[in-house]
Amino acid sequence: MKRFGVSLMMLVVVLVLTACSNNSGNNARSDTNENIEGVPEGVQNGKKIAVLRNLASDDHTKQFLDGARKEGEALGFKVDTQIVENNDAKFQELVSQIIQQDYDGIIISHGKEDYSYDMIKPAVDKGIKVTLFDTVAKKNGQSLDGVTATFQDDYELARLSLQKIADLSKEPVKVIKLWFGGLSPLDRRQEIYKEFEDKGEIVTLETIGPTNFQDIQGDIAAKVNAVLAKYPEGTVDAIWGSWDELAKGAYKSLIDNNRSDIKLVSIDVSNQDINLMKENNSQWISTAAVDPALIGRMNMRLMAKKLAGEETPAEYDLAAKLIKQSDLKDNTTMLNLNEIIDGWGVSNDFDEEWMKTLREHYSK
């Protein structure tokens, strides 16, 4: 009965997704055989792309999906987006159903390594183009031909954030670490954390991870509350959030416990993060990040190149930036971070001349 219930639920989701794809908008997929001069045949007349994300519906997720959707629609594609909130069984079921639909490409975000190869292989076998974000799809060391895996430069994100912590003191900095394993970006960030530990620049007092993924911030806040009770003022220097959803929970705990003696440093960024960093006497002093909307755009550009039959790399990393509390202005948001962070949200990678032709054509 449980299996039947899940299958029925997924069928409803896919039917809704399919129904949405049949609605036409200003940039909807064209059903005419219109030929646009100077544009590869593989992207003529629009394509249908599914963008699937296996993470909570937070700011980062919404901006990633929005970046992918806007870039795809600008190129004349019909883009459907779907969020599955860290439910791996549901995610795999949804991908399986999408593969049976008439999609030309699938962009997958945050699939787990233990199942992603087998989940994606039927799409590749069917000829559907695939790009991945923060998803490792390998089996026995082998990757799938024609699939591009994109990542934030997680090593640099970790290095930028941890150096900010290491600079707090000439002595080893006493740190509460917010982290959990099994997610490829967090596993890579842990590698750099260990380097700082091995060099004696930081010492880990506690490691805290979530168990309630439906309320990560509340879960982490409660756990940090319990841990802080063990450490009187002056015995903890900093909290390192390997993911900003974890950091937001820690920030709430610091405020609730009046722990102004502890600094908070994180990875990833959202409008909520920025607003918390701007609060009076906020202990959240910096975060290292990549523009999530840019991640979505880059995955869609790579998808377009695949559809056009052009060469694409097996892997691609997006450059990391450090956002310091001291640089934020009263009006700073995700939309104008480029005013204080050089190069924020901008990349010319994979932006071909024929893409510019498509954008001009579909903007009319």
Side-chain angles (χ1 to χ4, degrees):
M1 285 296 293
K2 289 183 179 179
R3 178 65 179 174
F4 176 77
V6 170
S7 298
L8 181 60
M9 178 179 65
M10 291 312 306
L11 178 59
V12 171
V13 170
V14 172
L15 287 174
V16 170
L17 192 63
T18 304
C20 290
S21 72
N22 290 329
N23 294 331
S24 58
N26 293 333
N27 293 302
R29 183 183 185 185
S30 173
D31 291 324
T32 63
N33 292 321
E34 180 183 16
N35 186 64
I36 305 171
E37 186 176 353
V39 173
E41 182 178 352
V43 289
Q44 293 279 1
N45 306 308
K47 294 294 178 180
K48 190 174 175 183
I49 313 299
V51 187
L52 310 175
R53 173 93 155 184
N54 188 28
L55 273 186
S57 180
D58 58 11
D59 272 358
H60 196 281
T61 288
K62 292 173 183 176
Q63 290 167 54
F64 166 79
L65 295 176
D66 198 41
R69 180 184 57 78
K70 286 183 177 179
E71 186 77 334
E73 290 180 349
L75 298 174
F77 301 164
K78 179 66 181 73
V79 182
D80 295 322
T81 63
Q82 183 71 30
I83 301 169
V84 178
E85 298 198 357
N86 207 46
N87 184 324
D88 294 318
K90 184 178 177 182
F91 190 60
Q92 293 174 76
E93 186 76 17
L94 178 58
V95 172
S96 177
Q97 295 290 343
I98 290 297
I99 291 170
Q100 303 309 313
Q101 306 300 308
D102 60 339
Y103 287 93
D104 301 291
I106 304 175
I107 296 172
I108 290 174
S109 172
H110 291 84
K112 302 295 195 306
E113 186 171 358
D114 59 346
Y115 61 73
S116 287
Y117 181 98
D118 291 331
M119 178 180 72
I120 295 163
K121 189 176 186 300
V124 175
D125 291 344
K126 189 178 177 181
I128 298 172
K129 305 303 181 184
V130 178
T131 71
L132 312 173
F133 172 55
D134 273 355
T135 301
V136 176
K138 293 184 179 181
K139 193 170 187 178
N140 300 322
Q142 295 297 312
S143 301
L144 291 161
D145 289 340
V147 173
T148 295
T150 68
F151 302 94
Q152 301 179 99
D153 188 343
D154 290 295
Y155 297 114
E156 186 62 13
L157 287 170
R159 195 168 284 111
L160 287 170
S161 62
L162 289 165
Q163 189 59 57
K164 192 70 176 176
I165 287 178
D167 289 343
L168 291 173
S169 174
K170 293 181 179 180
E171 301 296 325
V173 181
K174 299 181 288 296
V175 176
I176 294 174
K177 177 173 68 170
L178 308 179
W179 176 85
F180 61 97
L183 199 62
S184 60
L186 299 190
D187 289 341
R188 289 192 295 276
R189 294 168 193 179
Q190 164 64 13
E191 292 180 39
I192 304 304
Y193 188 93
K194 190 173 186 309
E195 288 183 9
F196 276 78
E197 276 188 317
D198 291 344
K199 289 187 293 184
E201 295 185 77
I202 60 177
V203 58
T204 305
L205 301 176
E206 305 275 351
T207 299
I208 300 172
T211 51
N212 179 5
F213 284 89
Q214 303 306 310
D215 181 19
I216 292 175
Q217 293 183 37
D219 184 27
I220 293 298
K223 290 174 178 175
V224 173
N225 284 343
V227 165
L228 289 180
K230 297 163 49 179
Y231 294 94
E233 186 170 337
T235 59
V236 180
D237 297 314
I239 295 177
W240 180 66
S242 61
W243 175 24
D244 66 330
E245 280 300 293
L246 309 177
K248 284 180 271 197
Y251 182 83
K252 181 180 186 306
S253 178
L254 291 175
I255 296 299
D256 290 346
N257 289 276
N258 297 313
R259 293 302 297 267
S260 59
D261 58 308
I262 301 172
K263 303 300 183 185
L264 176 62
V265 175
S266 64
I267 294 176
D268 295 330
V269 68
S270 70
N271 279 317
Q272 184 184 8
D273 302 350
I274 291 171
N275 289 334
L276 295 176
M277 290 171 73
K278 290 190 297 183
E279 286 187 350
N280 288 335
N281 302 315
S282 172
Q283 304 101 300
W284 199 334
I285 61 172
S286 69
T287 191
V290 175
D291 180 9
L294 179 64
I295 300 169
R297 290 199 299 274
M298 299 308 290
N299 272 271
M300 191 59 72
R301 288 182 196 173
L302 285 160
M303 175 59 66
K305 285 178 66 67
K306 291 179 183 297
L307 293 167
E310 296 184 354
E311 184 177 351
T312 54
E315 292 190 2
Y316 174 73
D317 285 341
L318 291 99
K321 304 287 184 180
L322 182 67
I323 302 165
K324 295 184 288 185
Q325 179 192 56
S326 57
D327 290 336
L328 298 176
K329 301 176 182 178
D330 289 343
N331 67 340
T332 299
T333 68
M334 291 291 294
L335 296 178
N336 59 12
L337 266 177
N338 61 308
E339 295 177 4
I340 62 171
I341 307 296
D342 186 41
W344 178 260
V346 177
S347 175
N348 294 321
D349 290 355
F350 313 119
D351 194 9
E352 309 299 338
E353 285 299 319
W354 55 262
M355 293 184 189
K356 298 173 185 176
T357 300
L358 281 175
R359 291 190 193 101
E360 291 173 4
H361 177 85
Y362 286 105
S363 67
K364 296 175 183 178

